Amino acid sequence: MDCNVKAWLKGFALFAGVLFFLYWFLVGLALLGDGFKVIAGDSAGSLFGSVDNPIAGLMVGILATVLVQSSSTTTSIIVAAAGAGVLPVEQGIPMVMGANIGTSVTNTIVSMSFVGDREQYRRAFSGATVHDMFNYMNVIFWLPVELISSAINGGNGGVLFLMTEAMAQSFEECSGDNCEDWEGPLKTITAAISKKIISVDKDVIKDFAYGRPALSHCEDVLCDDAASTGVCDPYVFHQKRCAESELALEGWCGDSKKKAKASFDYCVYDNGVISVNQTVMEAARDHFNSYKLNKAGVFADAGLQREAGIITLVLSLVMLIISLLCMVKILGIAVRGAAEDVLKKALNMNGYLAIVVGCGVTMFVQSSSITTSVLTPLVAIDALSVEGMLPLTLGANIGTTLTGVLASLVSDSSTGFQLAMVHVMFNVLGVVMFYPLPVIRAIPIRAAKNLGNLAATFKAFPIFYIIMLFFVYPGVILGISIGIQMGTGAMAGCIVAIILFVVIHVLIAFWYNRRNGRAWLERRFGLSDDDFTKPEGEDTKADVEAPQLSKATVENEDDDSVDAQRESSDSSNEQPGANGVVAQV
């Protein structure tokens, strides 16, 4: 009985320990995202104004999501921009696809926490990147299909556009005071601590996506109905912050609440001519420029903005590493013997059931990054296989689309809802088309395992992978795609850049595969097992066999030594005689 009580108490203590460190891990993830948003949220929002072709849209979606560390935030901004009329659905579709790719950077960062153990590092990076590989495969198929089908349709939209356009015909906007974005219970729990440190005003990012007040807003959006009504609509800010200027049409601090949305009526329509009231527009710009991304918390109280983001980013990384190490250590103690078998059977469930579970969990926590980041340590400790990780991440892809749908319901425009449904259908159709076929779903799994092998050989490879795949390539391709449309000179420069880009990659691939490039890299930068810290008490098969082999070798050497001594003794007793006959001494 005493043994059972001790076992029960030990199990409860381990379970409580996992929950404790899991909570701090989730708080660290929340702070990581908020830190990135405060540091680069304005830049991410401004990226949306640079889109004028599908490739640029795809790259903007990747970069914006990496900068704000949340595909939910990115899709909410895209949906809001579409609902406001500044972003056509056709341009928003590639952005949504890019957001799907960018969201996987978080669990890739988490996988680097296992760098101390070679096998865990291999498995963790494989488990994290299987998400990337499937998303890239999905985009590689659906983006050309969308563009080609749109061209066949005379430029009036492709397959996803037409499908979701039919869905949007039944759209009904949400009205009343209860139409704010739903916040999942897990976010509410972690916010109890994270919001005390830093709190991001996501509406500021939406304003940056909408753009700084300018004449172009009057010409493109605000004066669309002026020919029939004789007046233009005001520029309305998303952020809930009253305006200091009395020129504000609504939301002046003198007669409004502190959290009122400000609006400025600076567009002028006169007999078919659109112009601006410069004084009012400058007042709107002053309000725009006085934004604060960090709206609450100890750092906001101290007057810190971008500095708060940097401090929070460092703090979050420390929290993630410590909580992960502690959580994995406790799981290593708890998951042994029969418990390990039970956990493996529970996690490595039927693939289609796993998709449903992944979707449900992500809808609950409102973040695919949280779902995949929590699963990555389980892959590292071999409780969950890479094959079992894939369907769970696919379900997370579908579950995270709920945020965009909820954001679209706040808008009074069906275009926002249509774009939110594009996100849903893109992920659902990708799963339906690719996952049921074993040959196809093996592609991202095999690619992820190869990446895991590279991480195990080259310790710094994940850093190189993140920088190149989520920053350098999207940035270079975005620059080229924008430059092509900037005139003949810029187009010629971009063509040269494309040729150089392709040639360099062909030469590197040729050197790596045909000229022993990999062997050279392994000699210079590769790692052996000794470069990794082995978990205490764990010996590899080689470690166990090595002493036995050494002992056998020594015994053989001893036998050979004895034989050699005998032969030497015999030969010393033999002397050749004068007549050439051997004489015995």
Side-chain angles (χ1 to χ4, degrees):
M1 183 65 182
D2 290 340
C3 293
N4 291 335
V5 171
K6 287 181 180 179
W8 186 89
L9 289 173
K10 180 183 177 182
F12 178 78
L14 292 172
F15 178 71
V18 170
L19 287 183
F20 176 79
F21 288 109
L22 177 61
Y23 175 76
W24 287 106
F25 174 75
L26 295 173
V27 171
L29 280 179
L31 291 174
L32 179 71
D34 287 347
F36 269 112
K37 290 184 184 77
V38 170
I39 293 170
D42 49 358
S43 302
S46 300
L47 282 172
F48 293 100
S50 61
V51 174
D52 50 7
N53 64 74
I55 302 301
L58 179 67
M59 298 303 116
V60 163
I62 295 173
L63 287 169
T65 306
V66 170
L67 290 175
V68 301
Q69 286 288 289
S70 171
S71 62
S72 299
T73 300
T74 305
T75 51
S76 296
I77 294 169
I78 296 169
V79 166
V86 297
L87 181 68
V89 175
E90 294 90 335
Q91 289 184 11
I93 291 175
M95 290 185 187
V96 168
M97 295 181 180
N100 246 44
I101 293 173
T103 191
S104 56
V105 71
T106 306
N107 59 320
T108 306
I109 294 173
V110 169
S111 70
M112 293 170 62
S113 303
F114 297 93
V115 68
D117 182 277
R118 188 172 198 173
E119 286 308 311
Q120 288 188 357
Y121 197 39
R122 185 199 310 273
R123 290 192 295 263
F125 194 66
S126 296
T129 53
V130 74
H131 194 191
D132 308 2
M133 295 300 101
F134 185 89
N135 286 339
Y136 267 105
M137 184 176 71
N138 204 18
V139 169
I140 288 171
F141 176 82
W142 276 109
L143 184 59
V145 166
E146 184 68 15
L147 296 178
I148 293 170
S149 57
S150 179
I152 294 173
N153 194 34
N156 296 317
V159 174
L160 289 173
F161 178 89
L162 296 174
M163 191 183 304
T164 53
E165 186 181 43
M167 295 178 183
Q169 290 177 358
S170 61
F171 170 78
E172 291 184 9
E173 66 170 298
C174 179
S175 58
D177 297 329
N178 299 320
C179 290
E180 296 298 325
D181 291 355
W182 177 70
E183 191 173 78
L186 193 60
K187 285 190 176 182
T188 304
I189 296 170
T190 56
I193 291 178
S194 64
K195 299 304 180 189
K196 294 280 193 306
I197 299 172
I198 192 170
S199 182
V200 181
D201 190 346
K202 296 179 183 178
D203 290 330
V204 172
I205 305 176
K206 292 180 182 179
D207 283 333
F208 269 93
Y210 191 49
R212 190 165 175 257
L215 174 62
S216 59
H217 287 93
C218 304
E219 295 172 338
D220 298 338
V221 181
L222 301 177
C223 296
D224 281 349
D225 300 325
S228 57
T229 62
V231 294
C232 300
D233 295 327
Y235 181 106
V236 182
F237 284 85
H238 289 88
Q239 55 185 295
K240 298 172 183 176
R241 177 171 57 87
C242 65
E244 299 290 340
S245 174
E246 296 182 25
L247 295 174
L249 179 66
E250 292 181 355
W252 174 48
C253 293
D255 59 5
S256 301
K257 295 179 180 179
K258 188 178 179 180
K259 292 187 176 182
K261 290 185 178 181
S263 63
F264 291 83
D265 193 8
Y266 65 81
C267 298
V268 179
Y269 183 83
D270 186 17
N271 295 323
V273 179
I274 298 174
S275 60
V276 297
N277 183 322
Q278 195 66 32
T279 305
V280 178
M281 187 173 74
E282 287 302 324
R285 287 180 172 180
D286 289 341
H287 184 70
F288 182 90
N289 293 331
S290 63
Y291 71 91
K292 291 183 179 179
L293 266 169
N294 183 20
K295 64 181 180 180
V298 292
F299 294 127
D301 294 340
L304 300 178
Q305 287 294 314
R306 197 174 295 272
E307 301 89 345
I310 296 171
I311 296 170
T312 303
L313 185 62
V314 174
L315 175 64
S316 67
L317 290 173
V318 173
M319 288 177 64
L320 285 173
I321 292 171
I322 293 174
S323 58
L324 259 180
L325 291 176
C326 294
M327 192 163 58
V328 169
K329 187 71 175 177
I330 294 172
L331 284 172
I333 297 171
V335 183
R336 288 177 180 173
E340 182 178 6
D341 295 335
V342 171
L343 182 62
K344 283 185 176 182
K345 288 179 181 177
L347 289 173
N348 295 282
M349 63 190 83
N350 176 273
Y352 299 100
L353 177 60
I355 292 172
V356 175
V357 170
C359 179
V361 170
T362 306
M363 290 172 69
F364 179 78
V365 301
Q366 284 289 281
S367 173
S368 60
S369 297
I370 290 178
T371 304
T372 54
S373 296
V374 170
L375 291 172
T376 298
L378 296 175
V379 179
I381 65 174
D382 203 23
L384 175 65
S385 66
V386 177
E387 290 80 2
M389 177 74 164
L390 177 62
L392 288 167
T393 59
L394 300 186
N397 275 352
I398 297 172
T400 196
T401 61
L402 176 66
T403 305
V405 174
L406 291 172
S408 70
L409 297 178
V410 182
S411 171
D412 59 356
S413 170
S414 62
T415 56
F417 179 73
Q418 182 182 351
L419 203 47
M421 292 310 299
V422 166
H423 194 198
V424 175
M425 296 310 299
F426 168 67
N427 283 294
V428 170
L429 290 175
V431 171
V432 170
M433 290 188 63
F434 297 131
Y435 185 75
L437 302 173
V439 176
I440 302 297
R441 70 168 176 259
I443 295 173
I445 293 172
R446 187 163 55 247
K449 287 184 175 180
N450 287 336
L451 291 172
N453 291 336
L454 286 172
T457 303
F458 305 105
K459 209 170 188 178
F461 176 75
I463 299 174
F464 173 81
Y465 173 88
I466 290 171
I467 292 172
M468 296 302 294
L469 213 64
F470 294 105
F471 291 99
V472 175
Y473 284 158
V476 169
I477 296 171
L478 175 62
I480 291 174
S481 61
I482 293 174
I484 285 177
Q485 300 180 336
M486 294 179 63
T488 307
M491 182 181 291
C494 289
I495 291 173
V496 172
I498 292 171
I499 293 172
L500 285 175
F501 187 79
V502 172
V503 169
I504 289 171
H505 282 74
V506 169
L507 289 175
I508 291 174
F510 179 77
W511 170 77
Y512 184 84
N513 293 300
R514 301 293 183 182
R515 289 291 182 267
N516 296 322
R518 181 185 173 95
W520 184 87
L521 288 173
E522 287 179 353
R523 286 195 302 272
R524 290 297 183 93
F525 307 106
L527 298 170
S528 65
D529 290 329
D530 295 335
D531 295 306
F532 290 80
T533 304
K534 198 182 305 173
E536 214 174 293
E538 289 186 16
D539 293 322
T540 60
K541 185 178 179 183
D543 293 330
V544 175
E545 290 178 352
Q548 297 173 354
L549 290 173
S550 300
K551 184 178 178 182
T553 304
V554 170
E555 289 176 353
N556 289 335
E557 288 177 353
D558 290 344
D559 292 341
D560 293 341
S561 177
V562 171
D563 293 340
Q565 289 176 2
R566 287 175 179 171
E567 290 177 3
S568 176
S569 176
D570 292 342
S571 60
S572 65
N573 292 330
E574 295 178 356
Q575 299 292 338
N579 57 358
V581 181
V582 177
Q584 294 290 335
V585 177

